[in-house]
Amino acid sequence: MTQRTMMRRTRIAAVIGGLLLAASVSAATWQEGNTYSAGTTVDYNGKTYTALVTHTAYVGANWNPASTPTLWKETGTSSSTPTPTTAPTTAPTATPVSTNAPTATPVITAKPTTAPTTAPTATPVSGVPAWSSSAVYNGGERVSYNGGVYEAKWWTQNNVPGADQWGPWKLISGTVATPTPTAVPTPTSVPTASPVPTVSPVPTATPVVTATPTPAPTATPCASNCPTLPKHAVVGYWHNFDNGSGVIRLKDVPDEYDIINVSFAEGDPWTKGKAVFTLDKLFNEADFLADIKLKQAAGKKVQVSLGGANGVIVLDSAAARDAFIASMGDIIAKYGFDGIDIDIENNLSIGAGEDFRNPTTPQVVNLVAGVKALKQRFGGSFSVTMAPEVAYVQGGYGVAGGIWGGYLGIIHGLRNELTMLHVQHYNTGGISGKDDKTYNQGTIDFQVAMTDMLLTGFNVGRDANKFFPPLRPDQVGIGLPSTAAAAPSGGYLSVADTQKALDCLMKLQNCGSYKPLVAQPDLRGVMTWSINWDKTSGYSFAKGHKAYLNTYPK
């Protein structure tokens, strides 16, 4: 977070091509959830469209041919008007039954939602579902395995119940032999019997699922598991070390800062996964604890930030993951921190082309599991923020692998726990936007183009089949240095120009050459490195931006 090396980005311009075929009389009706290759012709609402690029029409994304000119081109009028009415009934029977059924049954999107919910509550013993290596379980959910009933301590996937006494499962009962046969036949016979009688319900359920998941592509709306925050917030990093900016007492941080990230917790060099936080000798621990309570009493969130430019934590195994959960949990409990900020900038490199929806890098998988466990332990008011560098996020648009896109699996895996993502828009050089133009740090266009990618989503590695869904506006902020000295490799932007970028994003006003399609007035706000550096300019960053954000409805 303090010193960063400016990175040179190489971008390969995407060449989208393909011959557009004329619409044929027998064109199939467009169906949400299907994957379409470039050149495929479909009927939609009485018109014929041809796919410009290969893509998947994700359920709930509403990427129908009429509303997505970047994906489809209108090529004629459909020969038959009744087709749209008949096709959805026939097509879902032939196509979705084989496509949707596997999605709902194996992935346990529809069935398990009702099963796990009912099982633990209504029938905690006799109706316990069998453990599945592919299913995702949250803390409190129960499964049956080898005649025993187990309860998840925290978020887990593919961890065998009972295999590790320190693992994510605790044994509830070892004498229940009935649940296993009862649970297994139930899911097995339901899918077998379902497909036949459910031939009618499937089309009925499909439209419902199409309408209901509309908000789902982003993240679960803030309801019961979201910390209380101002609608628009100013976030700052407070560091308990002097890097040229000087140090200040936590109690002296201006009220304009809504979230204070205490920097940094780091990895213990002797124990993998173990997190440590050491208060500098310049501070008194009793005063520090009192200052945290003082800020919290004033309605501020005081979090601990993990990582930084020099912080390394290794999460390469289940043992390291559990050490992280235990040690970080102890730090949070000791100081009474409101949440955790993820600022890992080292030891994070993913495989080339690794799918962010199903990550395999242990560091990513274990960090996601660890943060979910902490959220589970400390409850709904526990906040989770992240401050990755641009290369780790938007850099994944050009290519996925190494550091490029390295955070996408973490963000996606924690999107329902995520309070705010404020990518560091500094020490980064130039990066390609979704329009394949390069934007340079320290400009209004850079702030707008990079932020717009998070608000609208983007294709990872320019692959339409790996679309990174947008985050909610209230989960997104812009990260900037408070002074030019705070970011030696560049990226500083004046308060006035930063607010022009915010005007563009939130009101579609004062835009430069990059202008978003939709205004996002609910954008959460801004983050800065650092509060200490901001002090050197009379807290111009915090005071200027808080006054600006206060002009929006609260």
Side-chain angles (χ1 to χ4, degrees), residues 238 240 262-266 275-279 288 304 331 335 337:
W238 173 91
N240 68 336
V262 173
S263 312
F264 290 101
E266 300 178 347
V276 293
F277 173 73
T278 306
L279 191 65
F288 181 66
V304 60
I331 292 170
Y335 293 98
F337 288 123

Side-chain angles (χ1 to χ4, degrees), residues 19-38:
L19 297 174
L20 301 179
L21 304 177
S24 68
V25 180
S26 59
T29 300
W30 177 83
Q31 182 69 34
E32 193 170 36
N34 288 352
T35 297
Y36 295 97
S37 302

Side-chain angles (χ1 to χ4, degrees), residues 231-300:
K231 185 171 183 179
H232 302 293
V234 176
V235 183
Y237 285 79
W238 173 91
H239 41 98
N240 68 336
F241 52 85
D242 188 354
N243 61 353
S245 62
V247 295
I248 58 175
R249 280 276 298 271
L250 197 62
K251 70 181 181 64
D252 295 325
V253 172
D255 286 343
E256 283 80 5
Y257 282 102
D258 301 296
I259 300 179
I260 302 168
N261 288 323
V262 173
S263 312
F264 290 101
E266 300 178 347
D268 183 338
W270 309 109
T271 308
K272 288 184 177 181
K274 183 180 179 182
V276 293
F277 173 73
T278 306
L279 191 65
D280 194 274
K281 293 178 181 178
L282 295 167
F283 298 92
N284 174 279
E285 188 165 73
D287 289 341
F288 181 66
L289 286 164
D291 288 355
I292 291 175
K293 289 182 171 58
L294 186 67
K295 281 297 172 186
Q296 291 170 332
K300 310 304 176 184

Side-chain angles (χ1 to χ4, degrees), residues 314-382:
V314 180
L315 301 171
D316 60 357
S317 66
R321 174 204 65 204
D322 294 344
F324 168 72
I325 293 168
S327 58
M328 184 55 79
D330 288 345
I331 292 170
I332 292 166
K334 175 181 177 180
Y335 293 98
F337 288 123
D338 293 297
I340 186 172
D341 173 71
I342 307 299
D343 183 28
I344 293 177
E345 301 173 23
N346 295 285
N347 192 44
L348 183 57
S349 178
I350 61 171
E354 184 171 337
D355 192 338
F356 68 89
R357 295 162 298 192
N358 185 30
T360 55
T361 299
Q363 185 81 354
V364 172
V365 174
N366 291 325
L367 181 62
V368 169
V371 174
K372 282 180 179 286
L374 292 171
K375 176 78 174 180
Q376 196 74 36
R377 172 178 171 179
F378 292 102
S381 62
F382 188 77

